[in-house]
Amino acid sequence: MEKQYSIKEVSRKLGIPKDTLRYYDRIGIVSPSREHNSYRRYSKDDLVDLMNIQIMQYADFSLEEIKGKFQFHRMQSVDSAYYQEVAEFLDAKKAETRKKIAHLEKVSQLFDVAVETLRGFNHESDQRLAEFVREIYRDLHKKDPGITKEDCDGHQN
């Protein structure tokens, strides 16, 4: 007979709060078997599922995405169309992640320029910061926002 784990053991082994494990059971993302006393009993497959959920959450997948797309072992047979659907979903998630990375790189650059400006404040560094901020503003609006250098300079006083 396969070893079964209590909710307390799973919580301790995987570092997942017991309330979270109960929630996963309630929404049907991982549903352990129940003993005659209604206590949850987790199988090794359940533990693998929980570890995969932790990894997917680390990769910024929502529980809805995980529940909707990643139930491989629960299916008796999986057709190639399903694999293709999941692959396309992962491609889209990867593209979304790359956009976030680009955004965070830009934010990091903004911080670098702002810190440089504040540490060695002078007209030249202030102008670099102002230009960088205008560039970000243009990126945000994907068009010429109609704000000129003079408009920005007029608000610095």
Side-chain angles (χ1 to χ4, degrees), residues 43-92:
S43 68
K44 287 182 182 180
D45 285 342
D46 292 331
L47 267 64
V48 169
D49 285 351
L50 290 164
M51 288 185 283
N52 286 331
I53 289 167
Q54 288 177 308
I55 290 166
M56 287 184 266
Q57 286 182 312
Y58 174 79
D60 208 25
F61 288 92
S62 70
L63 286 177
E64 292 78 24
E65 290 169 327
I66 294 167
K67 184 178 177 186
K69 296 288 182 191
F70 300 104
Q71 299 296 317
F72 299 109
H73 73 279
R74 301 225 190 292
M75 303 171 79
Q76 294 301 322
S77 64
V78 180
D79 64 9
S80 61
Y82 177 77
Y83 287 135
Q84 184 62 34
E85 178 187 334
V86 172
E88 289 172 9
F89 174 75
L90 291 174
D91 278 340

Side-chain angles (χ1 to χ4, degrees), residues 12-42:
R12 185 181 43 78
K13 281 181 179 292
L14 300 181
I16 301 172
K18 289 186 272 185
D19 285 343
T20 300
L21 293 169
R22 289 182 193 103
Y23 178 70
Y24 289 171
D25 187 11
R26 194 168 50 253
I27 66 171
I29 199 163
V30 173
S31 297
S33 61
R34 299 285 185 137
E35 289 185 335
H36 63 281
N37 58 8
S38 295
Y39 288 175
R40 292 171 178 84
R41 300 303 293 174
Y42 292 85

